[in-house]
DNA sequence: AACATTAGTTACTTGAAAGTAAGTATCTCA
DNA sequence: TGAGATACTTACTTTCAAGTAACTAATGTT
């Protein structure tokens, strides 16, 4: 009789992964971090703030974050257009854990880089 | 005078991203979760436990986790070979935050799926 | 002599994420 | 008249993570 790993049930049909994969992409976390620091932000301001993201990827990533209810998109019917993005309560509750991860990464970064350097040799 | 976002300094040369990107891959988190539940585990047992990972990706992912000092690899000079993997203290300290994320994902999964469904329509 | 076992390696292919660059609509301002 | 602003979309290309499948070394087992 082998001990069955509980973990496996979590991943059998990967519902958790369905959620977390969206955060594992290149830009989602960064956008959440930015929107977590302000009340709201417009598209072009986000673009300039992040700097090296393309318009396309900004659009795509904002859309998936919106689809998951992590951010809210508000369109003002003006010309030229105005669209404001803000983080939602759900987004904020995720951001807490993301910030914990970021903090962990900052705390452990030096040690990890040292480990990597040793490992190479 | 615009308010400068603090966040930006974190990502200027992306040291945090250098660390976290490794956790955003397809298998690292799962392997850490598995190794967090046992004292140690051999290569083939990991392979069977995870099920749908290829030998190559298991090797590759174990190597990067080892390089970062998140797991420890111990080779016993026997034939046939025996190699045991175990999570390190550093790995455990990361796992705490990963588990928080997994818990958050489980708690919010239903709502998120509902949001996604609404968004499609 | 050939097969099993363990923990891999190697070479090649695939697919999805991301990047690039140009185009769009509508109005204002010079 | 035409340039600028805003928030995109579209079509095409590139890149890299991941997948596939075959091969390896060294010994014990039938």
């Amino acid at each position: 009789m082998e001990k069955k790993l509980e973990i496996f049930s979590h991943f059998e049909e990967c519902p958790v992964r369905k959620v977390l994969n969206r955060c594992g992409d290149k830009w989602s976390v960064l956008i959440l971090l930015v929107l977590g620091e302000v009340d709201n932000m417009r598209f072009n301001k986000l673009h300039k703030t992040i700097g090296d993201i393309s318009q396309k990827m900004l659009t795509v990533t904002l859309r998936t974050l919106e689809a998951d209810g992590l951010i809210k998109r508000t369109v003002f019917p003006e010309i030229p257009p105005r669209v404001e993005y803000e983080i939602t309560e759900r987004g904020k509750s995720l951001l807490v854990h993301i910030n914990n991860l970021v903090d962990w990464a900052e705390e452990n970064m030096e040690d990890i880089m040292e480990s990597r350097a040793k490992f190479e040799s």
Side-chain angles (χ1 to χ4, degrees), chain A:
Chain A
M1 292 287 188
E2 302 247 327
K3 187 196 169 204
K4 256 198 187 170
L5 283 173
E6 291 240 345
I7 233 164
F8 214 55
S9 62
H10 298 334
F11 284 86
E12 228 161 27
E13 285 175 339
C14 303
V16 173
R17 208 181 280 180
K18 271 183 191 172
V19 173
L20 293 186
N21 273 357
R22 294 262 177 113
C23 310
D25 67 7
K26 192 167 173 184
W27 300 110
S28 291
V29 163
L30 187 47
I31 289 175
L32 283 176
L33 286 167
V34 171
L35 290 179
E37 301 247 326
V38 295
D39 280 347
N40 59 64
M41 200 179 273
R42 296 177 64 180
F43 186 88
N44 275 0
K45 181 84 183 293
L46 270 167
H47 195 199
K48 280 167 205 156
T49 301
I50 295 176
D52 56 345
I53 191 173
S54 67
Q55 280 189 326
K56 180 195 145 191
M57 285 315 297
L58 182 54
T59 304
V60 168
T61 309
L62 287 169
R63 285 296 181 283
T64 65
L65 290 173
E66 188 195 358
D68 283 7
L70 299 171
I71 66 173
K72 188 182 157 205
R73 177 173 180 267
T74 310
V75 183
F76 297 86
E78 305 172 359
I79 282 175
R82 181 156 64 102
V83 181
E84 286 182 357
Y85 294 93
E86 62 187 302
I87 196 166
T88 61
E89 286 308 311
R90 189 185 296 167
K92 281 180 194 168
S93 72
L94 172 56
L95 198 50
V96 171
H97 302 301
I98 289 175
N99 273 319
N100 285 338
L101 263 185
V102 171
D103 291 346
W104 180 91
E106 281 181 342
E107 282 164 25
N108 290 272
M109 197 184 59
E110 275 193 45
D111 291 345
I112 288 174
M113 291 306 167
E114 208 175 302
S115 294
R116 281 186 199 173
K118 261 185 207 161
F119 190 79
E120 304 261 317
S121 60

